[in-house]
Amino acid sequence: MTKEAGSPPLGGRLATTWQTRLTGWGRSARAWLSAYVIALALIAFWPVPVDSGAGPLLRAVTRLFPLLTYARIEFGANILLFVPLGFLLTLILARDRWLVMPIAFLTTVTIETGQAIALAARTPSVLDIVANTAGACLGIVFAVFAEALARARTEPPTT
């Protein structure tokens, strides 16, 4: 067997494999981020609260599970709403991860400010800012965990 000119050693190939996989995630993450931003804008700037039609369902849930109050469900939904932002930005901004939290924070402040200024039927809240920022932070944790898993699956074990 001959070694091709310029090909990395086996360890280099394996390291390159997980880096290539993550780079591929970064490319598709941009497409997912574009779709997510459109969905987020529709949810955030819809003229009426997006849960306005879910009243009967929310009342049934809170009757079945008294600990799940409307405020807790809304707070949890706001956390979940921003998990994709943290996850996708972490993949895209691999070299500048320190920017993910400021971007997420500014995004949620912009949304809440826009709701306060332009949407009379919407109620801006500092708790929404806290929940959204926490969701982005959770997304960062998931992205770092996914990268560690990808790295562990492609790197040879060290002895």
Side-chain angles (χ1 to χ4, degrees):
M1 261 190 175
T2 61
K3 185 176 164 185
E4 293 179 32
S7 68
L10 181 59
R13 278 192 211 141
L14 289 173
T16 304
T17 303
W18 75 262
Q19 289 169 338
T20 303
R21 189 177 294 172
L22 293 179
T23 303
W25 285 357
R27 281 192 212 110
S28 62
R30 285 180 178 82
W32 282 107
L33 182 64
S34 298
Y36 168 79
V37 166
I38 291 168
L40 179 63
L42 288 172
I43 291 168
F45 296 112
W46 203 254
V48 295
V50 291
D51 62 352
S52 59
L57 174 65
L58 290 172
R59 281 190 292 281
V61 168
T62 56
R63 268 195 308 271
L64 279 171
F65 305 101
L67 287 176
L68 290 178
T69 63
Y70 176 79
R72 289 179 178 157
I73 293 170
E74 181 187 21
F75 191 81
N78 278 320
I79 289 173
L80 291 176
L81 182 64
F82 268 66
V83 169
L85 183 66
F87 185 85
L88 295 169
L89 283 176
T90 301
L91 294 179
I92 293 167
L93 300 172
R95 295 177 195 252
D96 296 314
R97 289 194 170 159
W98 64 273
L99 288 170
V100 175
M101 286 307 292
I103 290 170
F105 178 75
L106 289 174
T107 301
T108 187
V109 168
T110 301
I111 288 170
E112 295 302 314
T113 303
Q115 288 177 350
I117 293 171
L119 302 172
R122 301 297 293 266
T123 307
S125 166
V126 173
L127 279 178
D128 288 354
I129 294 171
V130 171
N132 293 343
T133 305
C137 188
L138 197 56
I140 293 168
V141 170
F142 289 156
V144 169
F145 181 71
E147 288 176 342
L149 268 175
R151 195 174 299 121
R153 293 182 72 194
T154 56
E155 288 181 351
T158 57
T159 54

